[in-house]
Amino acid sequence: MVTQATPRTHPLDPLSADEIVRASSIISEQFGSPESLRFLLVAALEPAKGVSEAPRAAEAICINIDSGLTTEAVVDLDAGAVTSITELPGVQPPALFEEYERAEAAIRADAGWRTAMSLRGLNDQQIDLSFIHLWPTGNFGSRWETEHRILKGIVYLRDEPDDNAYGRPVEGLIAVVDLAANRVLEVIDAPSPVPPVTSLRFDHDHGGPHREDLKPLDIIQSEGPSFTLEGHLLRWQQWQMRVSLHPREGLVLHQIGYEDNGQLRPICYRASLAEMVVPYGDASVGHYFKNAFDSGECGIGRLVNSLELGCDCLGEITYLDGVVTDERGGARTIKNAICIHEEDVGLLWKHTYRHPDERGSQSWLRRSRRLVISTIATVDNYDYGFYWYFYQDGAWEHEVKATGIVQTMAIEDDDPQVTRHKIGQRLAGVHHQHFLSYRLDMEVDGRQNTVFEVDTVPLPLGPENPYHNAFTAQATPIADESLSGREVNASAGRHWRIANDSVRNPLGEPPAYVLTPGATVSMMADEQSIIAQRAAFARKQLWVTAYDFAQRYPAGDYPAQSEPGLGIPEWIDSNRSLEQADVVLWYTVGMNHLVRPEDWPVMPVQRAGFSLKPWGFFDRNPGLDVPQPDHCEHDIERRTDLQAHHPHNSHS
């Protein structure tokens, strides 16, 4: 294991701990150093594209916990001065860790809540040992949501502090907490089933008896990995990029490029998870409001795990630390926040030639390996792994792995299981979906790109298709933002080609990359629903917009308790041209989760993602220069007796 130092060497580097503290101190002094000032985000303010020399700047989101007023500030760290302050009355930023703690304490001290628990037959010891899960509320138009900064607390029972509390929900009991006033506004107590009798733990002592037939699996690179990491600059094979952790977006990649014949060719300026929403599909009082924006309402980066060798990452690992604000103006370092390593992934390419005139064959083969850059974030009951993969043939992919504990509800034994599925005695898992919006600021061989929607379609019957078997790739440009908002069409093999028409490859065609969807799903909430209007990005799989530095988050900068229509719906109203333009792609990964018994008490990983592959970016297979494996005797003629199994040559 190697822990890499992270000196500031580039304008796109994240803030160091010292820079976070300095920026916070400058802002605090500007406000007169009030005790009520808190910092939700302090991050590097990235310079404009193409600007290599710019003042080192920080952007910050602050909140006064007494007044509830949110303020944005920008600090010039070189000059040591605040350069802008913007007050945002009515805006709700993510809840502070401190606010979560105070909200739980307020609920436990509330006489109305304790009475509601007692009326359910619970004694003081059971009440005090209960687990309170605090949720963002959304905005359904209630006066609590429109006039207060709030969280909702739902309750689970435990017999001991380490219990899997989600096994014993106190169904229908919700406390609404005002975070500024630090008091319970309302206790909602709806009639509900009796919670299950016992929870189900899944730690080592409760998961057995354990399997005894697993042999050791060691990954050894005796000469070390094939990549280099200098600060945040990562080089591997022909790939080059910058790697960092953002407090809101989590893992961010900048300036992804590929070295081709000595020239570093740009592909993507910035790639990140821009937003994420998890809408639940049950209309009961304890679940209808569950539609958390895990990035904008929580901050994926500040919830990233410290990864452990042999557990989260296996092999010859290099780590990068992450640094975020501690909310009072200090800095918090997340050790080993980003994991970087190589993996063997089977074949890169292979061909076997069978000699037509004699028994025998000749084979050529190369094994593939990939570079893996990953983080894991825990957002309450769910854990998400985010993995960027880079390959030796110029392709790259993203995969999200969802695991953790599903949201549960107490049910009657004869529950019809329409919007949930039974996973235990009087216990169900609620149907829900996960939508993750990835922001891909593309620059394929430069910043003048056009996105084409490509469908595979049959040719009309006629002279060009006399045998009824001919088909073609039909490419339609997404010419302006009125055409944005595209959907996956698996039957047509739909994908999207990002091409640079101002450049030509040796074959006379524009170089391009194609974005190919992985497994995905449409949003089940009706288009008129509150969540579909607040998370409009999730209603389609692909949006394309013209680049604007201020347009970073597809559901708006502040989705907590937000109004409908923010973000992408506002932006595309401008109907900007997208042909040979500086374009940004917003790709939505959709994950359907109809909970099954095997997802309890902790769910196996569920995967989804997308890929990007070169399309005319190279004039031949870029993996031809990969050397053959040392232990492999291919690229030589092999004589084998194929006659018994293949008496005739076959063609496919």
Side-chain angles (χ1 to χ4, degrees):
M1 181 188 78
V2 178
T3 298
Q4 184 76 23
T6 56
R8 176 198 168 189
T9 58
H10 192 274
L12 294 175
D13 281 355
L15 297 182
S16 67
D18 288 343
E19 288 176 316
I20 289 175
V21 171
R22 184 160 180 260
S24 303
S25 177
I26 293 168
I27 294 169
S28 183
E29 290 175 5
Q30 178 79 22
F31 285 107
S33 302
E35 172 58 29
S36 57
L37 186 65
R38 299 290 186 271
F39 296 86
L40 283 149
L41 178 145
V42 182
L45 180 62
E46 297 177 13
K49 285 186 185 179
V51 176
S52 57
E53 296 294 332
R56 182 66 162 167
E59 60 177 338
I61 299 172
C62 312
I63 185 169
N64 186 309
I65 60 172
D66 290 340
S67 67
L69 179 63
T70 301
T71 303
E72 293 178 342
V74 174
V75 177
D76 183 331
L77 290 170
D78 293 337
V82 174
T83 57
S84 75
I85 291 178
T86 305
E87 292 185 348
L88 302 170
V91 159
Q92 301 299 345
L96 298 154
F97 295 139
E98 171 188 333
E99 289 177 311
Y100 278 97
E101 294 173 1
R102 288 193 283 106
E104 179 179 347
I107 293 173
R108 293 194 184 281
D110 184 74
W113 179 82
R114 296 189 74 88
T115 297
M117 292 282 279
S118 298
L119 291 174
R120 291 172 180 249
L122 303 172
N123 59 40
D124 285 345
Q125 183 179 5
Q126 291 173 307
I127 294 172
D128 291 338
L129 197 57
S130 63
F131 167 61
I132 299 173
H133 187 177
L134 290 153
W135 276 79
T137 66
N139 189 342
F140 294 85
S142 77
R143 63 191 182 96
W144 299 143
E145 294 158 344
T146 57
E147 298 175 10
H148 298 262
R149 175 171 167 80
I150 60 174
L151 292 173
K152 286 185 176 179
I154 56 180
V155 194
Y156 302 84
L157 301 182
R158 296 182 293 196
D159 291 327
E160 52 188 28
D162 292 334
D163 268 355
N164 176 6
Y166 294 99
R168 300 178 66 189
V170 180
E171 196 64 38
L173 182 61
I174 304 102
V176 183
V177 185
D178 185 307
L179 300 181
N182 196 31
R183 66 184 180 92
V184 174
L185 297 171
E186 181 182 10
V187 175
I188 301 166
D189 190 5
S192 62
V194 176
V197 176
T198 59
S199 62
L200 183 59
R201 291 177 61 170
F202 51 86
D203 54 42
H204 183 272
D205 293 337
H206 295 80
H210 298 285
R211 306 179 190 190
E212 297 179 351
D213 57 348
L214 284 175
K215 307 300 182 185
L217 194 161
D218 297 320
I219 299 173
I220 300 171
Q221 292 182 274
S222 58
E223 298 180 16
S226 303
F227 59 81
T228 62
L229 185 63
E230 302 172 11
H232 292 270
L233 177 62
L234 177 62
R235 294 187 177 94
W236 178 76
Q237 302 287 280
Q238 275 67 47
W239 288 102
Q240 179 174 306
M241 67 206 71
R242 308 196 71 85
V243 182
S244 59
L245 185 79
H246 188 274
R248 175 167 174 167
E249 299 164 272
L251 179 58
V252 177
L253 304 181
H254 280 99
Q255 296 181 325
I256 300 169
Y258 195 96
E259 187 174 320
D260 183 22
N261 292 321
Q263 176 189 0
L264 183 63
R265 300 173 66 188
I267 298 170
C268 179
Y269 182 78
R270 194 180 193 275
S272 68
L273 172 68
E275 192 51 87
M276 177 177 172
V277 68
V278 186
Y280 281 74
D282 186 271
S284 62
V285 67
H287 302 276
Y288 78 90
F289 62 87
K290 292 179 179 176
N291 46 55
F293 290 76
D294 287 338
S295 178
E297 288 182 331
C298 302
I300 292 294
R302 64 182 189 154
L303 300 176
V304 159
N305 298 177
S306 290
L307 304 177
E308 296 185 35
L309 183 64
C311 301
D312 305 291
C313 309
L314 183 64
E316 187 72 26
I317 307 299
T318 295
Y319 291 107
L320 271 172
D321 295 343
V323 186
V324 296
T325 180
D326 70 358
E327 299 184 350
R328 287 180 174 264
R332 177 169 62 93
T333 297
I334 305 172
K335 295 291 293 182
N336 300 349
I338 300 172
C339 169
I340 305 169
H341 70 286
E342 294 174 291
E343 291 179 344
D344 180 280
V345 282
L347 288 178
L348 177 62
W349 55 262
K350 179 179 181 177
H351 178 63
T352 297
Y353 174 70
R354 294 172 183 161
H355 292 280
D357 56 350
E358 57 184 295
R359 299 179 188 179
S361 67
Q362 189 171 5
S363 291
W364 299 265
L365 175 149
R366 297 295 181 269
R367 288 199 67 80
S368 177
R369 69 174 67 182
R370 67 185 180 190
L371 178 71
V372 184
I373 310 168
S374 64
T375 57
I376 300 174
T378 299
V379 189
D380 291 320
N381 55 298
Y382 258 99
D383 299 79
Y384 298 93
F386 303 99
Y387 297 80
W388 289 102
Y389 302 129
F390 292 86
Y391 294 87
Q392 292 164 303
D393 63 353
W396 49 300
E397 295 178 340
H398 182 79
E399 182 178 54
V400 56
K401 301 178 182 179
T403 180
I405 306 177
V406 297
Q407 278 289 304
T408 57
M409 67 183 300
I411 59 172
E412 302 288 3
D413 290 330
D414 60 351
D415 187 88
Q417 302 183 72
V418 175
T419 57
R420 57 258 187 181
H421 191 79
K422 190 174 183 179
I423 59 174
Q425 188 70 26
R426 298 201 303 275
L427 186 71
V430 183
H431 297 342
H432 60 282
Q433 299 181 297
H434 306 250
F435 294 101
L436 302 93
S437 176
Y438 289 88
R439 182 179 183 273
L440 303 171
D441 184 354
M442 301 299 291
E443 52 175 8
V444 178
D445 260 346
R447 293 181 186 146
Q448 304 304 305
N449 291 173
T450 303
V451 181
F452 294 85
E453 184 167 274
V454 184
D455 288 337
T456 306
V457 297
L459 288 177
L461 304 184
E464 294 185 3
N465 189 14
Y467 305 106
H468 303 186
N469 67 317
F471 59 90
T472 189
Q474 179 176 285
T476 305
I478 302 175
D480 55 53
E481 290 176 329
S482 70
L483 301 173
S484 191
R486 314 305 304 171
E487 295 182 317
V488 165
N489 183 348
S491 63
R494 178 171 292 171
H495 56 273
W496 294 280
R497 186 187 305 163
I498 307 104
N500 189 332
D501 198 46
S502 64
V503 182
R504 287 292 182 270
N505 65 19
L507 302 176
E509 297 181 343
Y513 261 76
V514 294
L515 170 61
T516 302
T520 191
V521 68
S522 298
M523 178 181 269
M524 292 296 106
D526 185 83
E527 287 194 2
Q528 299 304 310
S529 67
I530 296 297
I531 184 56
Q533 295 179 57
R534 293 177 62 233
F537 71 85
R539 287 157 48 185
K540 307 288 184 181
Q541 282 79 45
L542 181 76
W543 304 85
V544 186
T545 62
Y547 171 82
D548 184 324
F549 178 80
Q551 296 176 354
R552 294 185 286 177
Y553 304 115
D557 291 348
Y558 299 96
Q561 298 173 229
S562 62
E563 297 291 332
L566 301 180
I568 283 178
E570 289 182 306
W571 306 340
I572 64 174
D573 278 349
S574 300
N575 197 24
R576 294 165 292 189
S577 173
L578 300 175
E579 292 189 286
Q580 285 301 98
D582 191 355
V583 297
V584 177
L585 279 66
W586 310 81
Y587 181 74
T588 304
V589 173
M591 303 174 75
N592 222 32
H593 198 174
L594 307 180
V595 181
R596 58 196 177 122
E598 291 85 352
D599 291 328
W600 181 256
V602 61
M603 65 173 284
V605 160
Q606 181 177 348
R607 297 173 172 85
F610 58 92
S611 67
L612 292 117
K613 293 184 178 180
W615 183 279
F617 193 80
F618 306 100
D619 59 347
R620 63 174 191 167
N621 178 354
L624 290 177
D625 60 355
V626 175
Q628 67 180 14
D630 292 338
H631 53 278
C632 183
E633 295 182 356
H634 286 80
D635 281 13
I636 62 171
E637 192 170 356
R638 291 189 300 131
R639 302 290 179 180
T640 56
D641 187 0
L642 303 175
Q643 191 71 26
H645 302 290
H646 301 284
H648 304 289
N649 292 322
S650 61
H651 301 276
S652 60

